[in-house]
Amino acid sequence: MDIRLTGVSHFYDKVEVLRDISLDIPSGKIVCIVGPSGCGKSTLLRLIGGLEQPSAGEILQIGAPPAECLNPLTYIFQDFALLPWRTVRGNISLVLEDHGIRGTAADDIIHNVLARTKLSDFADALPKQLSGGMKQRVAIARALAVNPAVMLMDEPLSALDSQTRELLMDDLVNLWTRTPFTAVYVTHNLAEAVRLGHSIVVMSRRPGEIREIVQLDTPLDQRGLGNAEMEEKQKYLWQLMREEARAADAELVHA
Amino acid sequence: MPETSNTVEIRHVPFRGGGFAPSPRRWVGFAVFVILIALAEIGTQTGFITPLTLPKPSDVLKTFGELYSSGLLWKHLSVSLSRLVVGAALGASVGIAVGVMIGLFSYVRAGLLPLVAALFPIPKIALLPLFVIWFGIDEGSKYALIAFGTFTPTVVATYGAVDNVDRNLIRMGQSFNLSWVSIVRKIVLPGAMPGILSGLRISLAIAIILLVAAEMLGAEYGIGAYILEAGSLYDLERLFVGVAILSILGVTLSACIGMIERRLLRWRV
């Protein structure tokens, strides 16, 4: 299933946050969206997943999602959004219960996704007992449980320290290499973008427009630390963004 | 660091980080009670406090013993407890239901919030004569008074608690296509539970106050009737027995809610 955006614009009251965004999200690829703070990249993600409606333009699903897919457009949030009163297992079964999946069928899925995110030993832990990285892995496991056609990731690693971030990026690369998934990955971190993105959409400051789409052809599993080509791309992206980021920063002061 | 002259003063960095972190001190509260009662006993025994001012705590205890052995304690207490349970359960459950609706539906909120704000400051005791006409002088008016008194604080606490549920969790529920009922039952209600329970603490204390008020009109048995009778005879021992029973009732209820909180809110950080 592909996603296509044509001429999407969005206003909050009279403030224009997104202007004329047209973008294709091909299935099986990770599209990263980077931009200075306040450029509307998180808004764009909420529009893509149907949590908000665009003021103009349309967002289309092209092709039917796979049959076994319970929730085609599935988010992973920056703040994890785990229910603190449910255990790891309970948080995952939450999204299965409404589809009538209970008992052994649910246990099989939970067992499978916890194994894939290396959380099998923590099924009965409460979120407060987990580290930040583990919480986000639970959120990823929960997303995997519904077999999403497209994963919508809103700064999923931004609340984590840099070592944990590095480890989780490896996890994501491994997950993708084993079974490629489609994802839109919003971040302000260029290192994450060049590590995970098959294409990187660079946005301008508010009103957010697409400045450039950078394609990266290196396979994900060959983009380890200190890869010269990646360094080069990251430098290039920073050059694109530098002025925008500076201007966006000054803008906030006067807003 | 280069060696400086030997007149340099050396001392520990002063500690400034203490306090502002209450920790449990188990027996202090109990000790305060014991000391106050002991002071009253000494004062009344020595005659420093006249019998008209304060009864001897030992006499109060004796009166309590008599009340217990005569079987009247249970009679008064059972009647009062049943009024309290029925009235408070009614008021709290309707209050929670209305509070959740105010939290969830814009029209209910717009319609009922002003009404609740208007009802909240009314001293419910003032309405007792009215309730007697509406619901009869028997149990009906007493249930109504207690229910009405617990209703308003419960509503206010509940809708505040619903408002405070993390919107990101609700957004998460929607993003996974959970049904409206599931979101309310599995996200909104558990998320509001801490606020609802702390509201219940206040509501139940108010229920005890109103219980006594209700029993001052047309009740033969009940702690309130017992206190009223003792008061009009200026029988201080019995008055204090009644008051002590109410205090114990309050402490017990508060401990019960504490237990429920520890059970239900184990997930809290």
Side-chain angles (χ1 to χ4, degrees), chain B residues 32-97:
Chain B
V32 170
F33 272 108
V34 170
I35 290 168
L36 280 179
I37 291 170
L39 281 178
E41 183 69 31
I42 294 166
T44 45
Q45 290 283 4
T46 56
F48 181 72
I49 303 174
T50 63
L52 270 182
T53 322
L54 206 68
K56 282 185 199 149
S58 54
D59 285 348
V60 173
L61 196 67
K62 210 184 297 165
T63 314
F64 184 81
E66 282 162 15
L67 186 68
Y68 177 77
S69 56
S70 71
L72 277 176
L73 172 69
W74 182 238
K75 185 131 205 172
H76 287 299
L77 205 57
S78 60
V79 174
S80 286
L81 277 180
S82 71
R83 285 170 188 153
L84 189 69
V85 169
V86 173
L90 211 66
S93 51
V94 177
I96 290 174

Side-chain angles (χ1 to χ4, degrees), chain A residues 46 51-52 71 73-75 77 79 81-86 94-95 97-99 126 128 142-143 146, chain B residues 165-166 168-169 171-172 174-179 182 185-188 190-191 264-269:
Chain A
R46 283 201 293 277
L51 286 180
E52 278 182 55
N71 188 45
L73 303 169
T74 298
Y75 282 90
F77 298 93
D79 63 354
L82 300 175
L83 300 184
W85 49 86
R86 285 194 177 219
L94 172 81
V95 299
E97 287 159 13
D98 265 40
H99 297 281
L126 284 170
K128 69 171 176 183
R142 178 178 63 187
V146 293
Chain B
V165 173
D166 190 347
N168 290 336
L169 292 182
R171 196 56 68 79
M172 182 277 292
Q174 290 175 323
S175 82
F176 278 97
N177 266 339
L178 301 195
S179 66
S182 284
R185 197 164 65 81
K186 295 171 185 168
I187 299 177
V188 175
L264 285 184
L265 308 182
R266 217 175 307 171
W267 50 269
R268 273 209 294 199
V269 189

Side-chain angles (χ1 to χ4, degrees), chain B residues 12 23 64 76 80 100 125 155 190 193 212:
Chain B
H12 287 286
S23 55
F64 184 81
H76 287 299
S80 286
V100 170
I125 299 166
V155 169
M193 199 48 81
V212 176

Side-chain angles (χ1 to χ4, degrees), chain A residues 17 32 36 90 102 116 166 174 188 201-202 223 238 249:
Chain A
V17 282
C32 286
R102 289 160 202 278
R116 277 158 79 188
E166 207 58 50
N174 284 336
H188 62 258
V201 177
V202 182
R223 297 186 189 177
W238 175 231
D249 189 46

Side-chain angles (χ1 to χ4, degrees), chain A residues 171-215:
Chain A
D171 289 345
L172 285 174
V173 168
N174 284 336
L175 277 175
W176 190 90
T177 318
R178 242 178 298 160
T179 20
F181 52 84
T182 316
V184 183
Y185 188 108
V186 163
T187 181
H188 62 258
N189 185 318
L190 298 180
E192 285 172 29
V194 295
R195 186 78 186 283
L196 296 170
H198 293 100
S199 60
I200 299 171
V201 177
V202 182
M203 289 180 62
S204 68
R205 68 177 191 275
R206 198 174 64 205
E209 288 177 285
I210 294 180
R211 268 200 68 174
E212 193 171 330
I213 299 179
V214 179
Q215 302 290 340

Side-chain angles (χ1 to χ4, degrees), chain A residues 88-105:
Chain A
V88 168
R89 186 197 306 280
N91 265 290
I92 298 170
S93 83
L94 172 81
V95 299
L96 300 174
E97 287 159 13
D98 265 40
H99 297 281
I101 301 175
R102 289 160 202 278
T104 46

